[in-house]
């Protein structure tokens, strides 16, 4: 008797389960609308009604247009964009924002070791730990789980040595910082204002400082490389000239020995 009751109960349970799934199947359009509406609400809330506080930091600096400074900036643009930069107008002062806001300079700044919050680490790791990228760009929603990028820890290396996964994480960080970093020129002057906005006040301040110093270091390195190349070229020319002069001296000595009157009539 008990076995029969148990079998009946099991059948009723399975029937109710199938009935429930049939009901869900008949209401799939409503469920889809609810899922899409929930995701849209989550996106709008995170992007337009976020309660995360943001902090701005600015640095003003002057680029002298007189004398050799314009030529130096042209050298920076040429070194960054390639040998044809001077001919394509990239040496113009208006192209300086392209350089300071480039991924090359951003990665140099992000991979700089700095001391914040009582510890030393690469700045990129501080951005991962202490900015709102974890809850916004890498936060989960109805359609996806939170990104594993939030667990990433960068180690000191050159950007060209990044793994594909590290490049993906760096791309997300670059895009976020690029959207929150700007540089404006005061009209009629050579004064520029570099500004950054982040969810942490100390991060914002450190970011604009590192970005400007990384641009200066990049310029110095490119100038050093260019100077070394010029010295190497000049050295090869001197060596070639020395060899030519030694050859002329040898020829003159031979002619003098064979035909004394040709040299001293």
């Amino acid at each position: 008797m008990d076995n029969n009751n148990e079998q009946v109960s099991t059948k009723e349970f399975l029937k109710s389960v199938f009935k429930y799934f049939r009901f869900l199947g008949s209401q799939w359009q409503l469920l889809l609308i609810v899922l899409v509406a929930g995701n849209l609400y989550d996106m709008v809330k995170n992007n337009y009604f976020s309660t995360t506080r943001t902090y701005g930091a600015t640095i003003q600096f002057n680029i002298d247009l007189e004398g050799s400074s314009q030529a130096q900036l042209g050298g920076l643009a040429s070194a960054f964009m390639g040998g044809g930069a001077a001919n394509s107008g990239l040496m113009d002062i208006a192209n300086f924002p392209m350089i300071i806001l480039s991924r090359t300079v951003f990665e140099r700044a992000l991979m700089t070791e700095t001391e914040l919050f009582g510890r030393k680490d690469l700045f990129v790791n501080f951005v991962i730990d202490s900015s709102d990228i974890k809850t916004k760009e890498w936060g989960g929603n109805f359609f996806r789980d939170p990104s594993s990028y939030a667990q990433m820890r960068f180690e000191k290396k050159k950007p060209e040595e990044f793994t594909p996964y590290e490049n993906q994480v760096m791309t997300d960080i670059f895009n976020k910082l690029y959207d929150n970093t700007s540089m404006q020129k005061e009209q009629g002057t050579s004064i520029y204002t570099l500004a950054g906005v982040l969810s942490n006040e100390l991060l914002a301040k450190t970011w604009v400082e590192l970005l400007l110093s990384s641009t200066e270091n990049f310029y110095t390195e490119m100038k050093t490389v260019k100077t070394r190349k010029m010295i190497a070229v000049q050295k090869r020319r001197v060596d070639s000239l020395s060899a030519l002069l030694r050859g002329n001296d040898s020829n003159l000595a031979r002619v003098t020995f064979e035909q004394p009157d040709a040299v001293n009539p």
Side-chain angles (χ1 to χ4, degrees), residues 110-233:
L110 287 166
M111 296 302 291
T112 301
E113 187 177 56
T114 186
E115 184 171 355
L116 293 174
F117 314 114
R119 64 184 176 91
K120 279 189 175 182
D121 204 347
L122 299 178
F123 184 74
V124 64
N125 291 329
F126 286 118
V127 173
I128 294 174
D129 292 339
S130 304
S131 74
D132 61 351
I133 193 171
K134 282 185 176 180
T135 57
K136 294 186 69 175
E137 285 80 1
W138 295 343
N141 55 37
F142 283 102
F143 293 103
R144 60 180 173 85
D145 294 328
S147 174
S148 60
Y149 291 174
Q151 310 303 320
M152 178 67 192
R153 304 297 302 175
F154 281 88
E155 296 181 358
K156 186 66 175 178
K157 63 171 67 174
K158 296 179 180 179
E160 52 266 28
E161 298 174 353
F162 286 164
T163 64
Y165 183 80
E166 289 172 331
N167 267 318
Q168 292 172 2
V169 179
M170 183 61 74
T171 297
D172 273 13
I173 297 173
F174 166 75
N175 289 335
K176 178 178 181 63
L177 292 176
Y178 184 85
D179 290 339
N180 290 278
T181 306
S182 62
M183 195 170 75
Q184 299 292 331
K185 180 178 180 293
E186 292 189 13
Q187 191 171 3
T189 71
S190 58
I191 297 176
Y192 281 79
T193 299
L194 178 65
V197 178
L198 286 169
S199 59
N200 183 286
E201 186 176 10
L202 186 56
L203 276 184
K205 172 182 178 295
T206 306
W207 169 239
V208 293
E209 293 174 346
L210 283 177
L211 191 57
L212 187 58
S213 64
S214 296
T215 305
E216 294 172 349
N217 293 337
F218 175 77
Y219 170 68
T220 301
E221 290 177 17
M222 292 301 101
K223 288 290 288 184
T224 301
V225 170
K226 186 176 180 181
T227 300
R228 288 175 179 171
K229 288 181 178 179
M230 291 178 61
I231 291 174
V233 170

Side-chain angles (χ1 to χ4, degrees), residues 61-130:
F61 57 95
N62 177 64
I63 300 179
D64 188 8
L65 297 177
E66 302 296 333
S68 61
S69 295
Q70 178 76 7
Q72 290 176 349
L73 182 60
L76 173 58
S78 179
F80 180 75
M81 297 294 183
N87 295 330
S88 62
L90 287 173
M91 67 179 294
D92 190 85
I93 194 72
N95 293 293
F96 187 71
M98 294 173 55
I99 299 169
I100 199 169
L101 298 178
S102 67
R103 176 157 180 163
T104 298
V105 175
F106 269 50
E107 287 179 341
R108 283 171 170 257
L110 287 166
M111 296 302 291
T112 301
E113 187 177 56
T114 186
E115 184 171 355
L116 293 174
F117 314 114
R119 64 184 176 91
K120 279 189 175 182
D121 204 347
L122 299 178
F123 184 74
V124 64
N125 291 329
F126 286 118
V127 173
I128 294 174
D129 292 339
S130 304

Side-chain angles (χ1 to χ4, degrees), residues 227-243:
T227 300
R228 288 175 179 171
K229 288 181 178 179
M230 291 178 61
I231 291 174
V233 170
Q234 294 300 326
K235 186 176 183 301
R236 287 195 296 270
R237 289 177 178 175
V238 169
D239 291 342
S240 298
L241 183 59
S242 298

